[in-house]
Amino acid sequence: MPIDQFRSPDYFALDELFTEEQKLIRETVRNYVKKEISPVIEAYAQKAEFPEFIVPQLGALGCFGPTIPEVYGGGGLDHISYGLMMQELERGDSGVRSTASVQGSLVMYPIFAYGSEEQKRKYLPKLASGEWLGCFGLTEPDHGSDPGGMLSHFSEEGDHYILNGSKMWISNAPYAQVAVVWAKDDAGEIRGLILERGMPGFTTPHTTGKWSLRASATGELVFDNVPVPKENLLPGVKGLKGPLGCLTKARYGIAWGAVGAAMDCYHTALQYSLERVQFGKPIASFQLQQKKLAEMLTEITKAQLMNWRLGTLMDNGSATPQQVSMAKRNACEIAANIAREARQILGGMGITGEYTVMRHIMNLESVITYEGTHDIHLLITGMDITGINAFK
Ligand code: TGC
Ligand code: FAD
């Protein structure tokens, strides 16, 4: 792959809205991606291998739990900084951002928001540093968009619970030491449990054959009469709002991340179109190619502005989950469209691993589906504006 010479499009001078600290954080993660991720990620994706070496590196960089307070090993940062980190990681590869999203928003966040003080002290620092990798088990074979119907179940037995059931499509699962798992108790209430690798009856089979997110490890979680100590129950939440609250945090990160992938595709297509000569001229001089590039930049700019505003709302505590759904859905849609247009600008070269675009296209097929599908986020917006639930 050519050397990563990414330059960020900033057509509406958004940099003026970021603090010096936010810009420094962005540059640090961008430089990390250029140095450590871009040179090797295509090979990992081609081999469908998880680059395990990134876990301690992302921890050292502060990409795990950037908004969690420092006392628990987090970064104590604002949401714009968190968003910029996710943007830069996904600019490199959606799978790398996925690793960070799951660890920070879906494993550390529920332990921070719903966990006991002992649980926070035991798990958060090791997860923040990347000493431990975590995963989040909500989706089941028969319950994806409708997680409220989950079948995983636990019952009390003496000083512990016995957990049975299974989860599928779980990012990080094959490598995780810790799993935050959502299951129903005897009263049918959804609760969160912290599982650790090595608990009897707990296995994490690897999911193979993916054409998307190939550099991210995906697996199942299988619970066969797993004894879970009672102190591993998250005491602070009951019901579907527990996992959905974590998803709001993670979907926000995806809104920024998908724009990062779009920015990379735009940058690649612009450079290529200026260098590639056909009919005696750079292809950038043809109106059809300029239309593609101009529309890409317009959509990136709109999405950047939406993310920035959403970040400020997250920081003042007034962002709604529905606003997050709109931003996640919009970012995934524009990124998927931009990636496809960029691939066309690259002609035949666009399908090769010489360039990042085809990998982004394939990755975005997962990003547009996980953490709530494109349809589900549209229905969330529809319900918010009409007051009518069209899910059921
Ligand atoms: P519903 O009755 O609407 O809601 C149940 C309770 O939850 C509350 N709530 C939320 N709370 C916080 N944040 C949100 N985003 C929330 N959305 C809803 C709601 O107020 C209610 O609270 P309460 O107090 O009344 O009990 O639930 P429903 O069963 O009708 O389902 C609604 C629906 C379809 C929107 C929801 O279930 C949904 O979002 N489905 C999509 C499932 C999903 O996103 N799964 C993601 C799995 S994890 C994943 O994909 C990780 S990939 C990570 C990576 O690799 O990057
Ligand atoms: P389904 O829910 O079966 O949906 C199939 C289609 O039906 C979709 O187009 C959907 O939009 C549509 N549909 C469903 N309901 C409705 C409705 N009411 N109205 C209109 N259309 C509807 N999950 C985790 O818990 N943890 C993870 O770490 C995780 N990582 C993932 C990693 C990858 C690579 C992938 C692909 C998935 C991951 N997921 C994870 C699962 C992901 O969240 C689900 O795939 C997603 O929520 C959709 O569920 P489903 O695949 O069962 O599709």
Side-chain angles (χ1 to χ4, degrees), residues 98 102 106 135-147 167-173 182 210 212-213 216-219 247 251 363 365-367 369-377 379 389-392:
S98 247
V102 170
L106 298 179
C135 67
F136 174 88
L138 180 64
T139 305
E140 297 189 351
D142 293 327
H143 296 94
S145 297
D146 177 21
K167 301 285 174 183
M168 78 179 290
W169 291 122
I170 307 305
S171 301
N172 297 352
W182 300 92
K210 289 182 300 164
S212 174
L213 228 62
S216 161
T218 312
L247 286 168
R251 290 165 176 171
N363 284 342
E365 291 298 320
S366 287
V367 181
T369 292
Y370 64 32
E371 306 229 9
T373 68
H374 213 49
D375 297 330
I376 290 297
H377 289 296
L379 293 174
N389 182 337
F391 291 106
K392 300 172 186 173

Short mmCIF file of all heavy atoms in Angstrom, two decimals, residues 98 102 106 135-147 167-173 182 210 212-213 216-219 247 251 363 365-367 369-377 379 389-392, ligand 2:
data_model
loop_
_atom_site.label_atom_id
_atom_site.label_comp_id
_atom_site.label_asym_id
_atom_site.label_seq_id
_atom_site.Cartn_x
_atom_site.Cartn_y
_atom_site.Cartn_z
N SER A 98 -13.84 -0.40 15.94
CA SER A 98 -14.74 -1.34 16.62
C SER A 98 -14.12 -1.84 17.93
O SER A 98 -14.79 -1.90 18.96
CB SER A 98 -14.94 -2.57 15.73
OG SER A 98 -16.22 -2.68 15.26
N VAL A 102 -16.08 -1.04 21.38
CA VAL A 102 -16.61 -2.09 22.25
C VAL A 102 -15.97 -1.96 23.63
O VAL A 102 -16.67 -1.97 24.66
CB VAL A 102 -16.34 -3.49 21.63
CG1 VAL A 102 -16.66 -4.58 22.63
CG2 VAL A 102 -17.15 -3.66 20.35
N LEU A 106 -18.96 -0.12 25.37
CA LEU A 106 -19.86 -1.25 25.63
C LEU A 106 -19.39 -2.16 26.77
O LEU A 106 -20.16 -2.98 27.25
CB LEU A 106 -20.05 -2.07 24.34
CG LEU A 106 -20.70 -1.30 23.17
CD1 LEU A 106 -20.83 -2.19 21.94
CD2 LEU A 106 -22.07 -0.75 23.56
N CYS A 135 -15.69 -7.76 25.73
CA CYS A 135 -16.69 -7.82 24.66
C CYS A 135 -18.08 -7.63 25.28
O CYS A 135 -18.22 -7.64 26.51
CB CYS A 135 -16.59 -9.13 23.89
SG CYS A 135 -17.03 -10.60 24.82
N PHE A 136 -19.08 -7.42 24.43
CA PHE A 136 -20.43 -7.03 24.85
C PHE A 136 -21.42 -7.98 24.20
O PHE A 136 -21.53 -8.00 22.97
CB PHE A 136 -20.66 -5.60 24.39
CG PHE A 136 -22.03 -5.02 24.59
CD1 PHE A 136 -22.38 -4.38 25.77
CD2 PHE A 136 -22.96 -5.04 23.55
CE1 PHE A 136 -23.63 -3.79 25.93
CE2 PHE A 136 -24.22 -4.44 23.70
CZ PHE A 136 -24.54 -3.82 24.89
N GLY A 137 -22.13 -8.74 24.99
CA GLY A 137 -23.04 -9.73 24.43
C GLY A 137 -24.50 -9.34 24.58
O GLY A 137 -25.07 -9.47 25.68
N LEU A 138 -25.08 -8.86 23.50
CA LEU A 138 -26.51 -8.55 23.51
C LEU A 138 -27.24 -9.39 22.45
O LEU A 138 -28.22 -10.07 22.75
CB LEU A 138 -26.73 -7.04 23.22
CG LEU A 138 -28.18 -6.57 23.19
CD1 LEU A 138 -28.85 -6.74 24.56
CD2 LEU A 138 -28.29 -5.10 22.74
N THR A 139 -26.72 -9.38 21.20
CA THR A 139 -27.40 -10.05 20.09
C THR A 139 -27.41 -11.56 20.25
O THR A 139 -26.40 -12.16 20.66
CB THR A 139 -26.66 -9.70 18.77
OG1 THR A 139 -26.60 -8.28 18.66
CG2 THR A 139 -27.36 -10.28 17.57
N GLU A 140 -28.52 -12.17 19.91
CA GLU A 140 -28.62 -13.64 19.95
C GLU A 140 -29.00 -14.15 18.57
O GLU A 140 -29.44 -13.37 17.72
CB GLU A 140 -29.69 -14.05 20.98
CG GLU A 140 -29.32 -13.61 22.38
CD GLU A 140 -30.23 -14.19 23.46
OE1 GLU A 140 -31.27 -14.80 23.11
OE2 GLU A 140 -29.87 -14.02 24.64
N PRO A 141 -28.87 -15.46 18.34
CA PRO A 141 -29.20 -15.98 17.01
C PRO A 141 -30.61 -15.57 16.55
O PRO A 141 -30.80 -15.23 15.38
CB PRO A 141 -29.09 -17.50 17.18
CG PRO A 141 -28.09 -17.67 18.29
CD PRO A 141 -28.28 -16.49 19.21
N ASP A 142 -31.57 -15.57 17.44
CA ASP A 142 -32.94 -15.24 17.03
C ASP A 142 -33.40 -13.86 17.48
O ASP A 142 -34.59 -13.54 17.36
CB ASP A 142 -33.92 -16.31 17.59
CG ASP A 142 -33.67 -17.65 16.94
OD1 ASP A 142 -33.29 -17.68 15.76
OD2 ASP A 142 -33.84 -18.69 17.63
N HIS A 143 -32.50 -13.06 18.01
CA HIS A 143 -32.89 -11.72 18.49
C HIS A 143 -31.78 -10.72 18.22
O HIS A 143 -30.85 -10.58 19.03
CB HIS A 143 -33.25 -11.77 19.98
CG HIS A 143 -34.45 -12.63 20.23
ND1 HIS A 143 -34.34 -13.95 20.57
CD2 HIS A 143 -35.77 -12.36 20.12
CE1 HIS A 143 -35.56 -14.47 20.67
NE2 HIS A 143 -36.44 -13.52 20.41
N GLY A 144 -31.88 -10.05 17.06
CA GLY A 144 -30.91 -9.04 16.68
C GLY A 144 -31.47 -7.65 16.88
O GLY A 144 -31.20 -6.99 17.90
N SER A 145 -32.32 -7.20 15.95
CA SER A 145 -32.93 -5.87 16.10
C SER A 145 -33.88 -5.82 17.29
O SER A 145 -34.17 -4.74 17.80
CB SER A 145 -33.72 -5.53 14.82
OG SER A 145 -32.84 -5.45 13.73
N ASP A 146 -34.34 -6.96 17.73
CA ASP A 146 -35.31 -7.04 18.83
C ASP A 146 -34.69 -7.71 20.05
O ASP A 146 -35.07 -8.81 20.45
CB ASP A 146 -36.52 -7.87 18.31
CG ASP A 146 -37.58 -8.08 19.37
OD1 ASP A 146 -37.62 -7.30 20.34
OD2 ASP A 146 -38.38 -9.03 19.22
N PRO A 147 -33.71 -7.04 20.68
CA PRO A 147 -32.98 -7.71 21.77
C PRO A 147 -33.85 -7.99 22.99
O PRO A 147 -33.52 -8.85 23.80
CB PRO A 147 -31.85 -6.72 22.10
CG PRO A 147 -32.33 -5.39 21.62
CD PRO A 147 -33.21 -5.67 20.44
N LYS A 167 -24.94 -16.00 22.59
CA LYS A 167 -24.91 -14.71 21.90
C LYS A 167 -24.15 -14.93 20.60
O LYS A 167 -23.25 -15.78 20.53
CB LYS A 167 -24.19 -13.67 22.75
CG LYS A 167 -24.82 -13.44 24.13
CD LYS A 167 -26.08 -12.63 24.05
CE LYS A 167 -26.80 -12.52 25.39
NZ LYS A 167 -28.08 -11.78 25.28
N MET A 168 -24.50 -14.15 19.56
CA MET A 168 -23.70 -14.27 18.33
C MET A 168 -23.36 -12.91 17.76
O MET A 168 -23.92 -11.91 18.18
CB MET A 168 -24.40 -15.16 17.28
CG MET A 168 -25.52 -14.54 16.51
SD MET A 168 -26.20 -15.69 15.29
CE MET A 168 -24.88 -15.81 14.08
N TRP A 169 -22.39 -12.89 16.85
CA TRP A 169 -21.90 -11.65 16.24
C TRP A 169 -21.20 -10.77 17.27
O TRP A 169 -21.44 -9.56 17.28
CB TRP A 169 -23.04 -10.85 15.61
CG TRP A 169 -23.65 -11.45 14.41
CD1 TRP A 169 -24.96 -11.79 14.24
CD2 TRP A 169 -23.00 -11.76 13.16
NE1 TRP A 169 -25.16 -12.30 12.99
CE2 TRP A 169 -23.97 -12.29 12.30
CE3 TRP A 169 -21.68 -11.64 12.69
CZ2 TRP A 169 -23.68 -12.71 11.00
CZ3 TRP A 169 -21.39 -12.05 11.40
CH2 TRP A 169 -22.38 -12.56 10.57
N ILE A 170 -20.40 -11.34 18.13
CA ILE A 170 -19.84 -10.54 19.22
C ILE A 170 -18.40 -10.11 18.89
O ILE A 170 -17.48 -10.95 18.85
CB ILE A 170 -19.90 -11.31 20.56
CG1 ILE A 170 -21.34 -11.81 20.82
CG2 ILE A 170 -19.39 -10.44 21.71
CD1 ILE A 170 -22.42 -10.74 20.79
N SER A 171 -18.21 -8.81 18.68
CA SER A 171 -16.88 -8.26 18.38
C SER A 171 -15.95 -8.50 19.57
O SER A 171 -16.36 -8.35 20.72
CB SER A 171 -16.97 -6.75 18.13
OG SER A 171 -17.82 -6.49 17.05
N ASN A 172 -14.71 -8.82 19.27
CA ASN A 172 -13.64 -9.06 20.27
C ASN A 172 -13.78 -10.40 20.99
O ASN A 172 -12.86 -10.80 21.73
CB ASN A 172 -13.56 -7.98 21.37
CG ASN A 172 -13.21 -6.60 20.86
OD1 ASN A 172 -12.87 -6.42 19.70
ND2 ASN A 172 -13.26 -5.60 21.75
N ALA A 173 -14.92 -11.10 20.82
CA ALA A 173 -15.19 -12.27 21.69
C ALA A 173 -14.04 -13.28 21.74
O ALA A 173 -13.65 -13.71 22.84
CB ALA A 173 -16.48 -12.97 21.26
N TRP A 182 -25.81 -9.62 28.64
CA TRP A 182 -27.16 -9.26 29.04
C TRP A 182 -28.05 -10.49 28.96
O TRP A 182 -28.09 -11.19 27.94
CB TRP A 182 -27.67 -8.12 28.13
CG TRP A 182 -26.76 -6.93 28.28
CD1 TRP A 182 -25.67 -6.65 27.50
CD2 TRP A 182 -26.79 -5.93 29.30
NE1 TRP A 182 -25.03 -5.51 27.98
CE2 TRP A 182 -25.70 -5.05 29.07
CE3 TRP A 182 -27.63 -5.67 30.38
CZ2 TRP A 182 -25.44 -3.94 29.88
CZ3 TRP A 182 -27.38 -4.56 31.19
CH2 TRP A 182 -26.29 -3.72 30.94
N LYS A 210 -16.20 -14.10 7.16
CA LYS A 210 -16.74 -12.73 6.95
C LYS A 210 -16.03 -12.08 5.76
O LYS A 210 -14.82 -12.14 5.65
CB LYS A 210 -16.47 -11.86 8.18
CG LYS A 210 -17.27 -12.18 9.41
CD LYS A 210 -16.91 -11.18 10.52
CE LYS A 210 -15.46 -11.23 10.88
NZ LYS A 210 -14.94 -10.11 11.63
N SER A 212 -16.47 -8.81 5.56
CA SER A 212 -16.50 -7.44 6.08
C SER A 212 -15.82 -7.43 7.44
O SER A 212 -15.86 -8.44 8.16
CB SER A 212 -17.96 -7.03 6.21
OG SER A 212 -18.11 -5.78 6.82
N LEU A 213 -15.22 -6.31 7.81
CA LEU A 213 -14.58 -6.17 9.12
C LEU A 213 -13.65 -7.36 9.39
O LEU A 213 -13.68 -7.97 10.45
CB LEU A 213 -15.68 -6.09 10.19
CG LEU A 213 -15.54 -4.98 11.23
CD1 LEU A 213 -15.58 -3.60 10.59
CD2 LEU A 213 -16.67 -5.06 12.24
N SER A 216 -11.26 -7.45 12.33
CA SER A 216 -11.85 -7.45 13.67
C SER A 216 -12.26 -8.88 13.98
O SER A 216 -12.81 -9.57 13.11
CB SER A 216 -13.07 -6.52 13.69
OG SER A 216 -13.91 -6.80 14.78
N ALA A 217 -12.00 -9.31 15.20
CA ALA A 217 -12.37 -10.69 15.57
C ALA A 217 -13.82 -10.71 16.03
O ALA A 217 -14.23 -9.93 16.89
CB ALA A 217 -11.45 -11.19 16.68
N THR A 218 -14.60 -11.62 15.46
CA THR A 218 -16.01 -11.76 15.83
C THR A 218 -16.21 -13.19 16.32
O THR A 218 -15.58 -14.12 15.79
CB THR A 218 -16.91 -11.52 14.59
OG1 THR A 218 -16.49 -10.34 13.93
CG2 THR A 218 -18.37 -11.39 14.99
N GLY A 219 -17.11 -13.36 17.29
CA GLY A 219 -17.34 -14.71 17.78
C GLY A 219 -18.70 -14.86 18.43
O GLY A 219 -19.50 -13.92 18.47
N LEU A 247 -25.37 1.57 24.15
CA LEU A 247 -25.37 1.71 22.69
C LEU A 247 -25.43 3.17 22.28
O LEU A 247 -24.84 3.56 21.26
CB LEU A 247 -26.52 0.91 22.08
CG LEU A 247 -26.28 -0.61 22.11
CD1 LEU A 247 -27.54 -1.39 21.77
CD2 LEU A 247 -25.16 -0.98 21.14
N ARG A 251 -22.90 4.31 19.59
CA ARG A 251 -23.40 4.80 18.30
C ARG A 251 -22.87 6.21 18.02
O ARG A 251 -22.61 6.57 16.88
CB ARG A 251 -24.93 4.80 18.31
CG ARG A 251 -25.55 3.41 18.31
CD ARG A 251 -27.03 3.45 18.68
NE ARG A 251 -27.65 2.14 18.60
CZ ARG A 251 -28.88 1.87 19.03
NH1 ARG A 251 -29.62 2.83 19.60
NH2 ARG A 251 -29.39 0.67 18.90
N ASN A 363 -16.04 -2.94 5.00
CA ASN A 363 -16.23 -2.70 6.44
C ASN A 363 -17.55 -1.99 6.72
O ASN A 363 -18.26 -2.31 7.67
CB ASN A 363 -15.09 -1.82 6.98
CG ASN A 363 -13.80 -2.60 7.16
OD1 ASN A 363 -13.81 -3.81 7.20
ND2 ASN A 363 -12.70 -1.87 7.28
N GLU A 365 -20.28 -2.15 5.36
CA GLU A 365 -21.46 -3.02 5.31
C GLU A 365 -21.80 -3.56 6.71
O GLU A 365 -22.96 -3.80 7.02
CB GLU A 365 -21.26 -4.17 4.32
CG GLU A 365 -21.23 -3.73 2.87
CD GLU A 365 -22.53 -3.09 2.41
OE1 GLU A 365 -23.61 -3.56 2.78
OE2 GLU A 365 -22.45 -2.09 1.65
N SER A 366 -20.79 -3.74 7.55
CA SER A 366 -21.07 -4.12 8.94
C SER A 366 -21.48 -2.90 9.77
O SER A 366 -22.41 -2.97 10.58
CB SER A 366 -19.82 -4.72 9.61
OG SER A 366 -19.56 -6.00 9.12
N VAL A 367 -20.78 -1.79 9.54
CA VAL A 367 -21.01 -0.61 10.38
C VAL A 367 -22.45 -0.10 10.20
O VAL A 367 -23.08 0.37 11.15
CB VAL A 367 -19.96 0.48 10.05
CG1 VAL A 367 -20.17 1.71 10.92
CG2 VAL A 367 -18.55 -0.07 10.27
N THR A 369 -24.91 -1.93 9.74
CA THR A 369 -25.82 -2.96 10.29
C THR A 369 -25.72 -3.08 11.80
O THR A 369 -26.73 -3.23 12.50
CB THR A 369 -25.51 -4.33 9.64
OG1 THR A 369 -25.87 -4.27 8.26
CG2 THR A 369 -26.26 -5.47 10.30
N TYR A 370 -24.47 -3.00 12.33
CA TYR A 370 -24.39 -3.24 13.78
C TYR A 370 -24.73 -1.98 14.57
O TYR A 370 -24.87 -0.90 14.01
CB TYR A 370 -23.07 -3.89 14.21
CG TYR A 370 -21.76 -3.17 14.04
CD1 TYR A 370 -21.62 -1.80 14.12
CD2 TYR A 370 -20.60 -3.93 13.86
CE1 TYR A 370 -20.38 -1.20 14.02
CE2 TYR A 370 -19.35 -3.34 13.75
CZ TYR A 370 -19.26 -1.96 13.83
OH TYR A 370 -18.03 -1.38 13.74
N GLU A 371 -24.94 -2.20 15.87
CA GLU A 371 -25.38 -1.11 16.76
C GLU A 371 -26.69 -0.51 16.27
O GLU A 371 -26.94 0.70 16.41
CB GLU A 371 -24.31 -0.03 16.87
CG GLU A 371 -22.98 -0.64 17.29
CD GLU A 371 -22.34 0.08 18.42
OE1 GLU A 371 -22.98 0.96 19.00
OE2 GLU A 371 -21.19 -0.27 18.73
N GLY A 372 -27.56 -1.33 15.70
CA GLY A 372 -28.84 -0.89 15.16
C GLY A 372 -28.72 -0.70 13.66
O GLY A 372 -27.86 0.05 13.20
N THR A 373 -29.59 -1.40 12.91
CA THR A 373 -29.49 -1.32 11.44
C THR A 373 -29.96 0.05 10.95
O THR A 373 -30.60 0.82 11.69
CB THR A 373 -30.34 -2.40 10.75
OG1 THR A 373 -31.73 -2.09 11.00
CG2 THR A 373 -30.03 -3.81 11.28
N HIS A 374 -29.69 0.26 9.67
CA HIS A 374 -30.12 1.51 9.02
C HIS A 374 -31.64 1.71 9.16
O HIS A 374 -32.11 2.81 9.45
CB HIS A 374 -29.74 1.39 7.54
CG HIS A 374 -29.38 2.68 6.91
ND1 HIS A 374 -28.48 3.56 7.47
CD2 HIS A 374 -29.80 3.26 5.76
CE1 HIS A 374 -28.37 4.61 6.68
NE2 HIS A 374 -29.16 4.46 5.65
N ASP A 375 -32.38 0.61 8.99
CA ASP A 375 -33.85 0.68 9.10
C ASP A 375 -34.25 1.03 10.53
O ASP A 375 -35.14 1.85 10.77
CB ASP A 375 -34.48 -0.68 8.77
CG ASP A 375 -34.22 -1.11 7.34
OD1 ASP A 375 -34.09 -0.23 6.47
OD2 ASP A 375 -34.15 -2.34 7.10
N ILE A 376 -33.61 0.38 11.49
CA ILE A 376 -34.00 0.60 12.90
C ILE A 376 -33.77 2.06 13.28
O ILE A 376 -34.63 2.69 13.92
CB ILE A 376 -33.21 -0.37 13.82
CG1 ILE A 376 -33.68 -1.82 13.63
CG2 ILE A 376 -33.30 0.06 15.29
CD1 ILE A 376 -35.14 -2.10 13.99
N HIS A 377 -32.65 2.65 12.85
CA HIS A 377 -32.41 4.04 13.22
C HIS A 377 -33.39 4.98 12.53
O HIS A 377 -33.80 6.00 13.09
CB HIS A 377 -30.95 4.43 12.95
CG HIS A 377 -30.03 3.78 13.93
ND1 HIS A 377 -30.07 4.06 15.28
CD2 HIS A 377 -29.09 2.82 13.79
CE1 HIS A 377 -29.20 3.31 15.91
NE2 HIS A 377 -28.58 2.55 15.02
N LEU A 379 -36.49 4.15 11.90
CA LEU A 379 -37.75 3.99 12.64
C LEU A 379 -37.69 4.72 13.99
O LEU A 379 -38.71 5.20 14.48
CB LEU A 379 -38.06 2.50 12.84
CG LEU A 379 -38.37 1.72 11.56
CD1 LEU A 379 -38.52 0.23 11.85
CD2 LEU A 379 -39.64 2.24 10.89
N ASN A 389 -45.13 4.26 17.07
CA ASN A 389 -44.15 3.17 17.02
C ASN A 389 -44.44 2.29 15.81
O ASN A 389 -45.48 1.63 15.75
CB ASN A 389 -44.26 2.36 18.32
CG ASN A 389 -43.26 1.24 18.39
OD1 ASN A 389 -42.76 0.76 17.37
ND2 ASN A 389 -42.96 0.78 19.60
N ALA A 390 -43.52 2.29 14.84
CA ALA A 390 -43.71 1.47 13.63
C ALA A 390 -42.84 0.21 13.65
O ALA A 390 -42.68 -0.45 12.63
CB ALA A 390 -43.39 2.31 12.38
N PHE A 391 -42.29 -0.12 14.84
CA PHE A 391 -41.46 -1.34 14.95
C PHE A 391 -42.32 -2.59 15.02
O PHE A 391 -41.92 -3.66 14.59
CB PHE A 391 -40.64 -1.34 16.25
CG PHE A 391 -39.56 -0.31 16.29
CD1 PHE A 391 -39.70 0.83 17.06
CD2 PHE A 391 -38.41 -0.49 15.56
CE1 PHE A 391 -38.70 1.77 17.11
CE2 PHE A 391 -37.41 0.44 15.60
CZ PHE A 391 -37.56 1.59 16.38
N LYS A 392 -43.45 -2.44 15.66
CA LYS A 392 -44.19 -3.67 16.04
C LYS A 392 -45.57 -3.65 15.41
O LYS A 392 -46.14 -2.59 15.20
CB LYS A 392 -44.32 -3.74 17.57
CG LYS A 392 -42.98 -3.76 18.25
CD LYS A 392 -43.11 -3.64 19.76
CE LYS A 392 -41.71 -3.52 20.38
NZ LYS A 392 -41.73 -3.24 21.80
P1 FAD B 2 -32.27 -8.69 11.97
O1 FAD B 2 -32.72 -8.03 13.21
O2 FAD B 2 -32.72 -10.07 11.70
O3 FAD B 2 -32.70 -7.74 10.75
C1 FAD B 2 -32.72 -8.21 9.39
C2 FAD B 2 -33.34 -7.09 8.54
O4 FAD B 2 -34.68 -6.85 8.98
C3 FAD B 2 -32.59 -5.78 8.67
O5 FAD B 2 -32.54 -5.12 7.42
C4 FAD B 2 -33.43 -4.96 9.63
O6 FAD B 2 -33.32 -3.57 9.43
C5 FAD B 2 -34.84 -5.46 9.28
N1 FAD B 2 -35.78 -5.30 10.39
C6 FAD B 2 -35.76 -5.89 11.60
N2 FAD B 2 -36.77 -5.47 12.36
C7 FAD B 2 -37.45 -4.57 11.61
C8 FAD B 2 -38.61 -3.76 11.85
N3 FAD B 2 -39.26 -3.76 13.01
N4 FAD B 2 -39.04 -2.96 10.84
C9 FAD B 2 -38.37 -2.91 9.66
N5 FAD B 2 -37.29 -3.66 9.38
C10 FAD B 2 -36.83 -4.46 10.36
N6 FAD B 2 -23.99 -7.56 18.62
C11 FAD B 2 -23.61 -7.55 19.92
O7 FAD B 2 -24.42 -7.74 20.83
N7 FAD B 2 -22.31 -7.30 20.25
C12 FAD B 2 -21.35 -7.10 19.33
O8 FAD B 2 -20.19 -6.87 19.67
C13 FAD B 2 -21.71 -7.15 17.94
N8 FAD B 2 -20.77 -7.02 16.97
C14 FAD B 2 -21.12 -7.21 15.66
C15 FAD B 2 -20.12 -7.28 14.69
C16 FAD B 2 -20.46 -7.52 13.36
C17 FAD B 2 -19.38 -7.63 12.33
C18 FAD B 2 -21.81 -7.67 12.99
C19 FAD B 2 -22.20 -7.89 11.55
C20 FAD B 2 -22.80 -7.61 13.95
C21 FAD B 2 -22.46 -7.39 15.31
N9 FAD B 2 -23.45 -7.42 16.30
C22 FAD B 2 -23.08 -7.38 17.62
C23 FAD B 2 -24.83 -7.73 15.96
C24 FAD B 2 -25.59 -6.56 15.35
O9 FAD B 2 -25.90 -5.60 16.32
C25 FAD B 2 -26.84 -7.13 14.67
O10 FAD B 2 -26.39 -7.79 13.51
C26 FAD B 2 -27.84 -6.06 14.33
O11 FAD B 2 -28.39 -5.47 15.48
C27 FAD B 2 -28.99 -6.59 13.45
O12 FAD B 2 -29.48 -7.81 13.94
P2 FAD B 2 -29.63 -9.07 12.94
O13 FAD B 2 -28.34 -9.27 12.26
O14 FAD B 2 -30.16 -10.20 13.74
O15 FAD B 2 -30.67 -8.62 11.86
#
